[in-house]
Amino acid sequence: MNADSAIAARIAALRAAAVAARHRRLLLLAGGDAWLAHVVALAATQLPGLGHASGHFRGQLGGEHGSLLFDARPGFDADAFGALAGTLRAGSLLLLLTPPLAAWPALPDAALARWLTAPATPADAAGRYLARLVGLLRADPDVL
């Protein structure tokens, strides 16, 4: 089995498990831009109607979605992520796109800026929240 078919098989198995349990599942996709684009294209073949979500989530509240793709590379908006996760139907997947996990906490996070007061900048608080999130994601046995 080549890498692409192995990835497709994992996505299909995760979705089947989510459907059988009537749960929402998280699929963490961490890596470089080219690899993520490739894996998202594979995921789209396994998840018909895969929607793309972002920090502009308010217009989607009250709706119900099949599987969603949440791109956290430009910044991780925890409010948007949580709200959009709540719009998923049972048996759906939430695909979280991130930079490589080891590097993510050190990267600029545009979503962090709204929580800071002057004279603080995102660089002043960089890494703390994302480092904690990365640790939780790595430790959670239910995150694929």
Side-chain angles (χ1 to χ4, degrees):
M1 181 181 290
N2 68 27
D4 285 355
S5 57
I7 292 168
R10 294 288 301 266
I11 292 168
L14 183 63
R15 181 166 186 268
V19 168
R22 298 196 41 78
H23 289 171
R24 302 174 195 126
R25 299 287 169 107
L26 176 66
L27 174 59
L28 173 64
L29 299 172
D33 293 341
W35 182 82
L36 288 172
H38 181 74
V39 174
V40 167
L42 286 173
T45 66
Q46 299 297 315
L47 305 168
L50 176 64
H52 298 322
S54 68
H56 306 290
F57 65 95
R58 293 193 188 340
Q60 297 182 41
L61 296 178
E64 206 173 58
H65 298 90
S67 296
L68 283 175
L69 175 72
F70 188 91
D71 190 350
R73 291 174 293 173
F76 183 73
D77 184 336
D79 290 336
F81 183 75
L84 288 167
T87 69
L88 290 172
R89 287 187 285 266
S92 298
L93 299 185
L94 178 55
L95 285 69
L96 174 61
L97 272 61
T98 73
L101 293 181
W104 194 20
L107 297 174
D109 186 351
L112 181 63
R114 72 182 177 127
W115 298 106
L116 301 174
T117 56
T121 67
D124 297 327
R128 292 185 195 115
Y129 177 78
L130 291 178
R132 171 85 172 130
L133 178 61
V134 166
L136 292 171
L137 289 169
R138 285 185 167 159
D140 190 330
D142 292 325
V143 173
L144 177 63

